[in-house]
Amino acid sequence: MERLVISGGTPLEGTVRVSGAKNGALPLLAATVLSEGRCVLQNVPDLKDIRTLAEILREVGLSVEKTAPNTYVTRLLSEENSVARYELVSQMRASIYLLGPLLAKRGEARVSLPGGCVIGLRPVDLHIKGLRALGAEIELEHGYIVARAPGGRLRGARMFLGGPNGSSVGATANVLMAACLADGKTIIEGAACEPEIGVLARFLNRMGATIEGIDTPRLVITGVPALRGARVTVPPDRIEAGTFMVAAAATGGDVRIEEAPLDHLGAVVAKLREAGVEVLEEDDGLVRVRRQGPLRPVNVTTLTYPGYPTDMQAQLVAMLTLADGISVVSEKIYPDRFMHCAELNRMGAQILKQAASAIVRGVPRLSGADVMASDLRAGAALVIAGLVAEGRTTVHRVYHIDRGYERIEEKFRGLGACIERLRGTPSTTLKRAA
Ligand code: EPZ
């Protein structure tokens, strides 16, 4: 089992480059199912989740070739098999993005229900509601979503896709992709406005779709008979960029970030500045993040875009464990997304969980410990904590982190961190009582 071993206390300094966005690349790859032609995706991050989705695309009849380190080329070979198997879907929830494209392009789809994960139940009811609104007949059988379009075609419809916690990124992506090949006009009210949806919509339009209202909560799609091949460059990962910004702030460092999509990090930058962190946009386009004075406590609530992103919550909590006062961090997207708090408390943090909030009382220092990653953002938070803690921290179950961060230890080492990846079984095999 791989683990990251970190000796903390070194302020991060230097320049780091952000990779392509995981949550941008996944829907773009799924969208290639809709195309009759050749699609080229550039700046695709080299992550396990990407490789898993590429494997599923091959199983449903696409040729998926990695023609360069971060470039994928896809082509349709066969439409015989439209089943996304449990064995692969259970490894990567975003496989649900294949449901809409397979259904719209081929008239049928069988996609394993993704199941939940540690951050929450992760329901897909909005995906199903939206596709049913387009005329799909959908049954749940033996853990699979079995969908078919009567007569092989979906039909456009007006719908509201917002859920109990606001809009849904995944449901918006699924229904948007399906509507591109439906007969007639579709209006999606309550659509997610995350930047990844905008990138997906522009890619679909380059494939020949007709989508209006991009980057707004109201998408209007006029269905077309077929979509051609197209090219797309995956945008830089705003969450990875935010993670490095918080790590620079937490360690009291001075870091420059290449390709940081500042336009899509407004809420994160605002919170960091409120906490006493300097965030500067330099002439050469790099974003400079440094902190010299004490960290001030802040209150934050995660919201859908452009609010503070839930995917940046754990990282901020790790930083706030060292603030001069009490911070309250509330989750409106995933109320259970606080697994990192118990691990941070093992490092000397003082965090109290109250319903869907974490109350973080700042402490003078953290101390290194063995900790366990539970999901990719919690894992990133533990790395940040290890970078500032006194002594040695070992972060176990690094595979969680590798799902969303390309070569994380190399990037932090490039900023002066003392961090390495060890393989094999640690001397004391870490088993946490249930
Ligand atoms: C995407 O997940 C991201 N994953 C998540 O990132 C991110 O946390 C999430 O959006 C919110 O921004 C990918 O893009 C691959 P949602 P998704 O549907 O689409 C509820 C990471 O760390 N909901 O926007 O699954 C849901 O319970 C991952 O990179 C329903 O009620 O999230 C949640 O409260 C973690 N019914 C809220 O909506 C549904 O059918 C937002 O979920 C779907 C969602």
Side-chain angles (χ1 to χ4, degrees):
M1 187 81 84
E2 292 188 340
R3 57 199 186 279
L4 294 175
V5 180
I6 306 160
S7 294
T10 310
L12 297 180
E13 296 201 350
T15 303
V16 65
R17 188 177 191 286
V18 174
S19 300
K22 165 179 86 81
N23 293 349
L26 292 169
L28 293 171
L29 269 172
T32 64
V33 165
L34 293 164
S35 171
E36 302 287 351
R38 180 174 177 271
C39 293
V40 180
L41 289 77
Q42 293 172 297
N43 198 38
V44 179
D46 184 17
L47 299 169
K48 183 169 183 322
D49 276 10
I50 299 294
R51 294 190 288 273
T52 303
L53 188 57
E55 195 46 46
I56 300 175
L57 288 178
R58 292 184 187 105
E59 287 202 353
V60 297
L62 273 76
S63 148
V64 183
E65 287 175 75
K66 196 173 175 182
T67 56
N70 299 102
T71 301
Y72 280 77
V73 175
T74 71
R75 268 184 310 105
L76 177 63
L77 295 176
S78 151
E79 299 195 323
E80 282 305 303
N81 175 38
S82 298
V83 179
R85 287 186 297 124
Y86 171 76
E87 292 74 9
L88 287 173
V89 173
S90 56
Q91 293 175 38
M92 209 271 298
R93 306 191 61 267
S95 320
I96 187 78
Y97 283 155
L98 290 172
L99 180 62
L102 285 172
L103 179 60
K105 180 74 169 56
R106 306 182 183 181
E108 62 176 7
R110 273 172 65 86
V111 176
S112 167
L113 273 162
C117 66
V118 291
I119 68 175
L121 286 174
R122 310 299 295 275
V124 292
D125 58 305
L126 296 174
H127 298 243
I128 291 169
K129 172 186 167 190
L131 294 173
R132 279 181 171 150
L134 296 179
E137 292 169 0
I138 296 184
E139 303 298 331
L140 302 185
E141 287 170 18
H142 310 299
Y144 276 78
I145 302 169
V146 181
R148 55 182 294 280
R153 294 285 291 184
L154 296 173
R155 63 176 191 281
R158 173 193 290 269
M159 67 186 77
F160 175 74
L161 214 45
N165 307 325
S167 55
S168 160
V169 175
T172 301
N174 239 330
V175 177
L176 169 63
M177 289 188 279
C180 290
L181 291 181
D183 290 331
K185 178 180 280 194
T186 295
I187 297 175
I188 304 175
E189 304 276 12
C193 295
E194 270 69 4
E196 292 75 23
I197 296 294
V199 172
L200 173 64
R202 291 182 189 89
F203 179 45
L204 290 164
N205 277 352
R206 280 201 297 283
M207 290 163 74
T210 310
I211 303 166
E212 298 164 272
I214 297 177
D215 293 329
T216 78
R218 187 176 190 274
L219 294 172
V220 181
I221 306 106
T222 306
V224 295
L227 292 174
R228 57 182 177 264
R231 176 184 295 269
V232 63
T233 298
V234 178
D237 193 320
R238 60 193 171 97
I239 303 300
E240 186 190 21
T243 302
F244 285 118
M245 294 166 89
V246 170
T251 58
D254 185 348
V255 168
R256 285 179 173 78
I257 303 169
E258 278 182 61
E259 302 285 312
L262 219 48
D263 288 350
H264 299 143
L265 280 164
V268 173
V269 170
K271 272 305 154 188
L272 287 174
R273 284 176 173 155
E274 195 184 323
V277 181
E278 277 185 274
V279 181
L280 314 161
E281 193 169 3
E282 300 203 318
D283 299 344
D284 53 8
L286 268 62
V287 174
R288 183 175 184 186
V289 182
R290 63 181 176 187
R291 192 240 324 160
Q292 286 151 334
L295 276 170
R296 292 196 290 264
V298 296
N299 297 332
V300 65
T301 298
T302 65
L303 294 168
T304 52
Y305 192 86
Y308 190 90
T310 174
D311 293 351
M312 281 298 305
Q313 180 260 109
Q315 300 93 314
L316 193 74
V317 166
M319 182 188 90
L320 293 173
T321 62
L322 295 165
D324 274 358
I326 294 177
S327 305
V328 180
V329 180
S330 303
E331 263 286 354
K332 289 287 184 200
I333 307 298
Y334 297 118
D336 297 331
R337 193 175 200 172
F338 290 107
M339 296 284 281
H340 44 287
C341 296
E343 298 301 298
L344 291 169
N345 284 347
R346 297 188 63 252
M347 298 175 73
Q350 290 195 7
I351 307 170
L352 195 59
K353 183 164 175 305
Q354 290 280 335
S357 296
I359 299 163
V360 188
R361 177 189 299 274
V363 294
R365 69 190 62 77
L366 296 177
S367 60
D370 275 279
V371 289
M372 197 181 287
S374 51
D375 72 276
L376 70 158
R377 308 305 172 186
L382 296 175
V383 170
I384 291 171
L387 291 170
V388 298
E390 288 178 353
R392 188 170 102 157
T393 296
T394 301
V395 181
H396 297 268
R397 300 192 179 176
V398 180
Y399 60 85
H400 285 295
I401 302 175
D402 293 339
R403 291 188 49 196
Y405 293 90
E406 208 178 355
R407 308 185 319 279
I408 194 166
E409 73 275 15
E410 287 176 27
K411 291 188 175 181
F412 275 124
R413 230 183 350 255
L415 294 173
C418 183
I419 179 172
E420 60 176 334
R421 180 185 293 251
L422 297 185
R423 293 173 171 78
T425 310
S427 49
T428 52
T429 306
L430 193 74
K431 283 199 186 328
R432 185 67 50 80

